[in-house]
Amino acid sequence: MALPLSILDLAYIREGGTASDSLAASVALAQRAEELGYRRVWYAEHHNMRYIASSATSVVIAHVAAHTRTIRLGSGGVMLPNHSPLTIAEQFGTLETLHPGRIDLGLGRAPGSDQQTMRALRRTPTSSDAFPQDVLELQGYLTGESRIPGVHAIPGKGTNVPLYILGSSLFGAQLAAALGLPYAFASHFAPDALEEAVALYRREFKPSPQLDRPYVMAALSVIAADTTEEAREQQLAALRLRVHNFLAAGRPYDEQEADMLLASPAGRQIGRMTKYFAVGDPAEAAAYVAEFAEHAQADELIVSLASPDAKASIRSAELLAEAHGLSA
């Protein structure tokens, strides 16, 4: 059997498009992913980013779940320090009640925003310090073994929504291992600690009621196209847009300026964030994906479809699914 593939959908609001367009594209992508045999689609919590429409992550999941039938859907992830564990347990308990057996809850501890937005979220710089305790509190609500006497998540209690720890450093790997939870590494934008984090997680993993052995998911960017040249053109367009969004957000988009930014030290650093990037025709993309899976010692890969166009992203998902050997 082919290694399972899943999709991280950042719900991009593309140039000239709207949030409504982005969410419609997310529905279309999930429906096609379901047909192609992808295991799950995850959505990430980001705030105050004009090009990402997944800030209300649980609402996006509910909308997509109502328009699909079987594919698993979840957060990749909810930034738990932005919320009370009880609220998240109620939201995802409701999702699981409405769509049984289809909901995942990936958890991160980053703000998913800048410092100003962090204050607007009523979050303090020390909020993340309580992340391990918050995960345990949330887990208690979902299993029906509340850690706060007399407080229960309804819906949520007894739904046992599976938890995943997301990370880009050794902290998340250590926590996932200690709690016996699956670990998803954000190597699509933070590649540096991948090997060390996965090794630590596998070495220190302790079985739990949710999981009896380590389970690693690793992320990478993917652009598959009918030809290598077309894929490379899409990659350049995606990198231009990425560096513009990071370094020149709010200014009109200009390819010449984007190329100058790409060549700058800051631009090169942004480019290095996409170290793990499968680009090419179907055979080339699938070969890179297979090599990356072995390198990451992954049990499942989650791909970020980096094409700058929604239709091209779906095409990329189709080509990769066929070349990788997925079956619905």
Side-chain angles (χ1 to χ4, degrees):
M1 290 179 63
L3 190 76
L5 295 184
S6 296
I7 292 174
L8 175 65
D9 181 0
L10 294 176
Y12 280 121
I13 303 173
R14 291 175 167 86
E15 204 67 28
T18 65
S20 179
D21 296 333
S22 171
L23 296 173
S26 289
V27 170
L29 176 60
Q31 289 173 334
R32 191 68 183 115
E34 183 174 78
E35 295 168 349
L36 292 167
Y38 284 87
R39 177 164 291 184
R40 64 187 101 233
V41 182
W42 279 2
Y43 306 91
E45 177 187 345
H46 291 285
H47 299 281
N48 195 31
M49 293 188 180
R50 64 185 184 86
Y51 52 91
I52 292 180
S54 55
S55 55
T57 313
S58 59
V59 180
V60 175
I61 294 168
H63 178 66
V64 177
H67 290 83
T68 50
R69 297 176 296 106
T70 57
I71 194 166
R72 297 192 67 88
L73 301 165
S75 58
V78 159
M79 301 299 108
L80 189 54
N82 292 343
H83 313 274
S84 76
L86 177 60
T87 298
I88 296 303
E90 291 169 341
Q91 289 177 4
F92 279 78
T94 299
L95 287 168
E96 175 64 23
T97 301
L98 292 169
H99 308 284
R102 295 182 56 201
I103 303 301
D104 300 328
L105 178 46
L107 301 168
R109 66 181 182 127
S113 61
D114 53 53
Q115 295 297 310
Q116 285 286 84
T117 308
M118 187 173 72
R119 285 193 284 272
L121 289 165
R122 303 297 188 268
R123 174 176 172 161
T124 69
T126 59
S127 297
S128 61
D129 294 347
F131 182 63
Q133 292 75 29
D134 286 347
V135 172
L136 288 171
E137 183 182 335
L138 171 59
Q139 187 177 52
Y141 292 133
L142 293 170
T143 60
E145 299 174 1
S146 177
R147 289 174 172 257
I148 300 181
V151 178
H152 305 282
I154 303 169
K157 181 178 179 180
T159 55
N160 294 296
V161 176
L163 303 184
Y164 298 74
I165 299 297
L166 277 58
S168 57
S169 69
L170 302 187
F171 177 90
Q174 221 159 13
L175 180 63
L179 299 182
L181 296 176
Y183 181 52
F185 193 88
S187 33
H188 63 301
F189 74 85
D192 292 345
L194 171 63
E195 296 146 271
E196 190 178 0
V198 170
L200 184 154
Y201 168 71
R202 291 194 177 279
R203 184 173 65 248
E204 298 191 4
F205 180 85
K206 297 177 181 177
S208 71
Q210 180 178 325
L211 195 63
D212 62 356
R213 65 186 66 184
Y215 193 85
V216 173
M217 298 170 67
L220 75 160
S221 300
V222 172
I223 294 178
D226 292 294
T227 66
T228 304
E229 182 182 14
E230 184 184 350
R232 292 292 177 190
E233 288 173 358
Q234 289 185 33
Q235 182 188 30
L236 177 57
L239 289 173
R240 282 171 171 166
L241 192 56
R242 183 184 182 93
V243 77
H244 177 267
N245 285 334
F246 270 94
L247 302 179
R251 297 212 299 266
Y253 179 70
D254 177 87
E255 286 187 358
Q256 187 173 6
E257 181 190 18
D259 285 341
M260 291 175 61
L261 291 171
L262 268 174
S264 71
R268 290 197 298 272
Q269 176 60 32
I270 292 168
R272 282 193 290 272
M273 291 166 66
T274 58
K275 173 182 176 180
Y276 297 119
F277 206 145
V279 182
D281 64 26
E284 291 168 330
Y288 185 96
V289 164
E291 290 170 10
F292 174 74
E294 186 173 347
H295 171 72
Q297 293 295 291
D299 300 291
E300 179 178 340
L301 298 182
I302 185 158
V303 301
S304 175
L305 300 168
S307 299
D309 172 81
K311 289 183 179 178
S313 289
I314 289 179
R315 181 62 177 158
S316 189
E318 292 170 342
L319 294 172
L320 179 61
E322 183 177 359
H324 184 73
L326 291 187
S327 57

